[in-house]
């Protein structure tokens, strides 16, 4: 956790707050140390950006979750559109 906090320029308390808000849930090593994925570190960095802009931690986490859900929905929609485009082309 200390290394992740140092990399992001945040405190361990900040990372714990992100965990409490269910934004990130790190895996645990055999010794009980928190292990963050690159994706979780990107989310934490985004949270820091929002908090630095004056957004509360809870609100920042909710914003990030919604941004992530929107990105996934757009990805699924694009894949769906590509699939239907192929089906229409094959039908002609």
């Amino acid at each position: 956790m200390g290394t992740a906090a140092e990399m992001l320029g945040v405190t361990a308390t900040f990372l714990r707050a992100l965990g409490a808000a269910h934004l990130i849930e790190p895996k645990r090593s055999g010794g009980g140390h928190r292990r963050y994925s690159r994706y979780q570190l990107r989310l934490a960095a985004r949270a820091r950006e929002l908090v630095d802009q004056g957004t509360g931690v809870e609100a920042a986490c909710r914003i990030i979750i919604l941004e992530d859900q929107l990105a996934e929905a757009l990805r699924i929609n694009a894949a769906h559109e590509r699939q239907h485009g192929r089906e229409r082309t094959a039908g002609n």
Side-chain angles (χ1 to χ4, degrees):
M1 175 179 268
T3 302
E6 187 177 316
M7 287 173 46
L8 296 169
V10 299
T11 63
T13 302
F14 181 79
L15 290 177
R16 281 190 208 95
L18 298 182
H22 305 288
L23 180 64
I24 56 175
E25 294 183 28
K27 302 283 187 205
R28 296 282 184 152
S29 69
H33 298 282
R34 290 174 176 89
R35 302 288 183 198
Y36 296 93
S37 69
R38 286 186 177 106
Y39 175 72
Q40 290 172 331
L41 293 174
R42 282 195 307 271
L43 293 179
R46 176 70 176 127
R48 180 183 177 203
E49 289 173 12
L50 291 171
V51 170
D52 286 350
Q53 294 171 6
T55 306
V57 172
E58 290 282 333
C61 291
R62 184 69 185 136
I63 288 167
I64 293 164
I65 290 167
L66 291 171
E67 287 174 342
D68 202 44
Q69 289 172 345
L70 176 59
E72 178 66 7
L74 291 172
R75 186 194 65 74
I76 290 168
N77 190 44
H80 181 73
E81 288 296 320
R82 284 191 303 273
Q83 180 63 35
H84 282 289
R86 279 184 246 151
E87 289 172 3
R88 283 190 291 261
T89 303
N92 287 336

